[in-house]
Amino acid sequence: MSESLQQQLQQAMSEFTKQQESLIRARDEVAAMSVTMRSKDRAVEVTVGAQGEPTALRFLNNKHQTMSGQALALSVLEVMTLAREEIARQVTGRFEEVSGMGLGVAGSNLNDLNLDRLLEPLEGEGLLAGMRLGAEEPGESGSAKQQ
């Protein structure tokens, strides 16, 4: 392997490690997120966690006592939907700030997000072979930098 290719690989690994650390910080921040929303009729308040799971449900000002069961159910479902949409927007936004991959992870279970797996393609001959092929192709930025 040429020294230039080795330097490029080391720089790529360093940049990737920084990106992975940013993703880990973002994942930890997202795991601690929650959103509290009120229904339009201001009768119900719901708090959801980062996965959209309800963590609190409050009936405000005893308004629920004068509501029909159907109206109360609609109010709860409405505010639950709004809260889940808002937390999804915040989670997506946070991951997009870091990497542009927010849409790919926002709907997933964040506990199952294995950031270490992101390094797997960089190990072994697969990357090196790909980099050699890329360096041999005319017009590639990697080959233009080699001297």
Side-chain angles (χ1 to χ4, degrees):
M1 181 182 328
S2 72
E3 193 170 314
S4 175
L5 184 59
Q6 181 71 26
Q7 288 173 342
Q8 290 176 6
L9 181 59
Q10 288 175 345
Q11 181 180 358
M13 286 295 296
S14 174
E15 290 173 12
F16 188 83
T17 299
K18 289 177 186 175
Q19 184 70 9
Q20 184 186 35
E21 289 168 355
S22 294
L23 282 169
I24 290 168
R25 279 191 304 275
R27 181 195 60 193
D28 293 344
E29 290 172 15
V30 163
M33 284 182 172
S34 69
V35 168
T36 300
M37 304 283 292
R38 287 188 180 169
S39 60
K40 289 178 188 172
D41 60 16
R42 305 191 61 77
V44 180
E45 182 179 88
V46 170
T47 301
V48 297
Q51 298 290 329
E53 75 282 7
T55 58
L57 173 65
R58 289 185 31 197
F59 299 108
L60 305 171
N61 301 321
N62 294 321
K63 286 184 178 183
H64 67 285
Q65 294 176 346
T66 61
M67 298 172 75
S68 69
Q70 184 177 8
L72 181 58
L74 286 173
S75 188
V76 169
L77 292 175
E78 169 210 338
V79 72
M80 185 74 69
T81 300
L82 291 173
R84 285 181 171 161
E85 288 171 355
E86 177 61 19
I87 196 71
R89 187 188 64 72
Q90 289 183 18
V91 167
T92 299
R94 181 61 185 112
F95 277 109
E96 285 177 344
E97 285 174 18
V98 174
S99 68
M101 62 185 283
L103 293 175
V105 297
S108 67
N109 183 341
L110 295 174
N111 294 327
D112 293 340
L113 185 60
N114 185 349
L115 296 174
D116 291 333
R117 287 194 58 202
L118 293 175
L119 281 174
E120 288 175 5
L122 297 177
E123 297 173 350
E125 290 297 314
L127 173 69
L128 297 177
M131 288 181 73
R132 283 187 205 113
L133 288 175
E136 294 171 9
E137 294 176 7
E140 289 288 323
S141 61
S143 62
K145 291 181 183 177
Q146 291 182 358
Q147 296 176 359

